[in-house]
Amino acid sequence: MEIIIENDASKRASLAADIVVRELLSKENPVLGLATGSSPLPVYDELVRRYENKEISFANVTAFTLDEYVGIDPEHPESYRNVIHNAFTGRVDFKPENVNCPDGNAKDLLAACARYDQAIAALGGTDVQIIGIGSDGHIAFNEPGGSIISRTHPEALTLETRQDNARFFDNKLELVPTHCVTQGIGTIMTSAHPVLVSSTKHKAKAIRDMCEGPVSATCPASILQMHPNVTIIIDEDAASLLERKDYYIHRYATKIW
Ligand code: GLP
């Protein structure tokens, strides 16, 4: 794992955007994985800025989002399809038909999930995948105690996740959907370059478990230790419980490749 600890939020966004732009420009028809949540928002703002500066176009990019709530009204502003449109894809030149989201309103959720997974696999997986992390260690919506080789599937949300996300639903827990559809850990692991962005003390335990804990379904993000090309970009608060923090700082500062 490449772990970058950077306290300046705009520098973190820039570092993540550098990776996204580099990976996208290296392919003719690149595939970009997108995450919701608040952590990636500065990265999207930075990518929009670079698009406006004509440094990058998304006209030939296919996007896949990580997850969606089950049963959410498609018009709801917190439906992840709408969130990603408003935060990013609708602000740049993506072709709408190239932005794919799992369908949380499908009659047959299992069949819809399987189709979504096959669509990602048919393009060889994402070239770069932006990821956030839940305070319980989830990535996408893969909650603790699931399968570490799962593909896109329906899932029940933990109470902790629903409490964390209540801020998007007028702080009313009862309004937060109880279930989701999510790319599986196995699906995410097919990405050529996962880039996880996170900050704040609230995530410190999850970050420690992800980077230094055992690889275990108890902390789904820890499976990223098994990926040969993953980048973790975090602030000092999120890094505060890391035992080998000094080494990670040294390793990145003296990177020679
Ligand atoms: C939701 C999303 C995750 C995201 C997490 C963290 O649960 N499904 O993909 O990583 O929120 O969000 P935030 O970055 O707002 O803390």
Side-chain angles (χ1 to χ4, degrees), residues 36-40 66-67 80 132-134 138 140-141 161 165 167 203:
T36 51
S38 44
S39 308
L66 283 174
D67 45 15
Y80 280 174
I133 184 169
H138 74 229
F141 265 141
T161 295
N165 289 3
R167 69 192 194 278
K203 300 291 173 69

Side-chain angles (χ1 to χ4, degrees), residues 42-180:
V43 183
Y44 298 146
D45 288 343
E46 176 61 17
L47 289 171
V48 171
R49 198 187 64 73
R50 294 183 190 202
Y51 161 74
E52 287 168 349
N53 278 349
K54 305 204 183 322
E55 292 168 40
I56 179 90
S57 162
F58 298 90
N60 62 340
V61 180
T62 301
F64 288 92
T65 62
L66 283 174
D67 45 15
E68 179 58 286
Y69 292 111
V70 166
I72 194 161
D73 180 345
E75 301 299 314
H76 196 293
E78 288 305 327
S79 128
Y80 280 174
R81 179 178 278 282
N82 294 331
V83 168
I84 213 69
H85 176 84
N86 296 332
F88 180 44
T89 56
R91 299 166 65 199
V92 295
D93 60 345
F94 270 104
K95 295 194 184 93
E97 66 273 23
N98 285 349
V99 180
N100 302 282
C101 307
D103 184 357
N105 282 297
K107 276 210 183 84
D108 186 341
L109 287 177
L110 288 177
C113 286
R115 278 197 302 275
Y116 194 73
D117 215 275
Q118 280 151 16
I120 297 171
L123 296 180
T126 60
D127 295 300
V128 56
Q129 171 69 61
I130 297 172
I131 313 182
I133 184 169
S135 61
D136 64 359
H138 74 229
I139 49 173
F141 265 141
N142 291 281
E143 298 286 30
S147 156
I148 59 174
I149 57 165
S150 58
R151 310 303 299 204
T152 304
H153 63 288
E155 187 57 279
L157 297 174
T158 61
L159 179 60
E160 183 171 343
T161 295
R162 293 183 62 235
Q163 283 165 341
D164 281 350
N165 289 3
R167 69 192 194 278
F168 299 116
F169 293 86
D170 298 331
N171 285 313
K172 291 186 177 135
L173 182 62
E174 65 276 18
L175 296 183
V176 184
T178 56
H179 289 75
C180 65

